[in-house]
Amino acid sequence: MQPSSEETAVHRAMALLAQHRLVTTLQMQQLLSPGSTRQFTSGVLNTLREAQLVSYAELPVGRTRAWFLTLRGVRATSSWPELRGRRVPALGNPTEASLRAAHTLTVVRSHLAFLHDARRRGDEYGALDWVPEIGHRLPDTGGEDKLIADAVMHYTAIEPDRLQYRAFVEVDRGTMSSERLAAKLISYARFHDYTPQPVGRRGTVADQAAMLAWQRFYPRFPRILFILTGAPEDSLRRRIDDLRAMTAAHPLVSQLAGHVQLGAAVLEELEQHGPTGPVWTPLAGDADGRSWMEL
């Protein structure tokens, strides 16, 4: 017996909440089934709420509901094949969800910009191909010991050639200083060059030829995309200029730019023109706008 469309939607909605942590009703509709009605999506979420698998925080703007898995929902999804190898955190309660809402929902907005564009183009990119909060160890240099990307994106373009893309995504709402935002490029540069050494051993020729840390996870180092929002346009442009200045001035980042595509864009422009529009500013070389695939 085949599952009904509602049963399938219930399963997918739980998987999406497990992956993306916190999603509004409208975002869930766009992720789950953009051709369905809002009433259908609300019905799916309310079915899960009655089963005590999900809950929601009511946000002050427009009385928007932001949905998340309860602890029971987290336990139910922890062994699902589509979530294998991914940590499914529990937000705990509506208050904690509300405190995380601004950043988490903006990250989902960024994902939706790519998802809408991929559907229009016919590319292979689904609602679970954007994985939030991916962490990697950094070398012990007395600074940060971990790099946590806001998301890692897995995208396959179909035309004109079939090409696979991966990207680290950093979403900035203007809540940190421009200098601190640009310093994230240094962390990525450190990760790019990091070769873990066996505990208790000095570096040898064999160790130097060992696999770089990122090669354990990616066939090619992902491009790095900064998505900016939450400030006037001139302020966002200055932040992009600061990212370009860091790329030009810091030797590690300049070296990274020789191997990895780096770009920045304004979220509202992504939503208006699509990520494959000429809305991305390269962080190295000329500053002419281009598609994220052409960085």
Side-chain angles (χ1 to χ4, degrees):
M1 182 177 177
Q2 294 293 324
S4 69
S5 60
E6 184 173 358
E7 287 174 328
T8 303
V10 163
H11 179 96
R12 290 186 60 215
M14 286 189 66
L16 289 166
L17 288 174
Q19 178 111 317
H20 299 296
R21 290 28 173 185
L22 194 66
V23 177
T24 68
T25 306
L26 179 58
Q27 287 176 335
M28 179 61 78
Q29 180 187 352
Q30 295 169 333
L31 290 167
L32 191 62
S33 179
S36 66
T37 64
R38 189 182 180 108
Q39 288 75 13
F40 176 78
T41 304
S42 295
V44 169
L45 291 168
N46 283 320
T47 296
L48 290 169
R49 182 169 177 252
E50 290 169 5
Q52 299 181 344
L53 294 167
V54 308
S55 186
Y56 67 84
E58 194 164 286
L59 306 181
V61 180
R63 300 189 64 183
T64 301
R65 289 183 176 183
W67 297 84
F68 60 93
L69 291 181
T70 62
L71 184 57
R72 183 175 180 179
V74 169
R75 286 198 296 262
T77 58
S78 61
S79 61
W80 287 7
E82 59 265 53
L83 300 169
R84 187 171 292 124
R86 300 177 187 177
R87 185 178 64 89
V88 180
L91 289 181
N93 56 65
T95 300
E96 184 178 346
S98 296
L99 293 173
R100 291 177 58 101
H103 182 73
T104 303
L105 296 178
T106 303
V107 173
V108 177
R109 258 182 80 189
S110 303
H111 170 38
L112 283 168
F114 283 91
L115 189 59
H116 293 326
D117 200 45
R119 287 168 175 166
R120 178 187 63 82
R121 291 168 46 89
D123 289 338
E124 294 179 9
Y125 178 70
L128 294 176
D129 289 329
W130 173 284
V131 187
E133 297 181 16
I134 296 296
H136 293 295
R137 283 183 56 199
L138 291 174
D140 183 10
T141 59
E144 292 179 319
D145 62 356
K146 200 168 189 181
L147 167 67
I148 300 178
D150 284 327
V152 173
M153 180 173 65
H154 303 261
Y155 190 109
T156 301
I158 303 301
E159 298 290 346
D161 299 304
R162 183 178 178 85
L163 294 172
Q164 293 183 331
Y165 296 88
R166 286 175 178 82
F168 291 118
V169 183
E170 292 290 339
V171 178
D172 173 60
R173 298 182 298 110
T175 55
M176 67 173 68
S177 70
S178 186
E179 180 181 2
R180 196 171 147 217
L181 176 67
K184 287 196 168 186
L185 285 165
I186 303 174
S187 296
Y188 280 105
R190 290 170 60 205
F191 179 53
H192 181 266
D193 293 342
Y194 176 35
T195 303
Q197 298 294 330
V199 176
R201 287 178 55 185
R202 295 181 179 179
T204 65
V205 172
D207 291 338
Q208 292 169 6
M211 182 179 290
L212 291 163
W214 65 264
Q215 291 175 325
R216 300 181 60 186
F217 306 96
Y218 310 103
R220 183 178 178 185
F221 197 89
R223 61 193 59 208
I224 302 169
L225 305 177
F226 287 83
I227 299 176
L228 282 60
T229 188
E233 183 177 354
D234 58 347
S235 176
L236 297 178
R237 297 298 171 194
R238 287 194 295 271
R239 292 169 86 81
I240 292 175
D241 289 342
D242 290 342
L243 288 167
R244 284 177 54 82
M246 174 66 79
T247 304
H250 196 285
L252 283 180
V253 182
S254 294
Q255 183 177 348
L256 175 71
H259 302 280
V260 178
Q261 296 86 350
L262 312 174
V266 174
L267 176 55
E268 287 74 13
E269 293 185 356
L270 295 187
E271 293 173 324
Q272 182 179 356
H273 302 290
T276 50
V279 296
W280 294 88
T281 301
L283 300 188
D286 68 76
D288 295 339
R290 63 198 67 182
S291 163
W292 71 279
M293 296 179 184
E294 299 170 343
L295 289 168

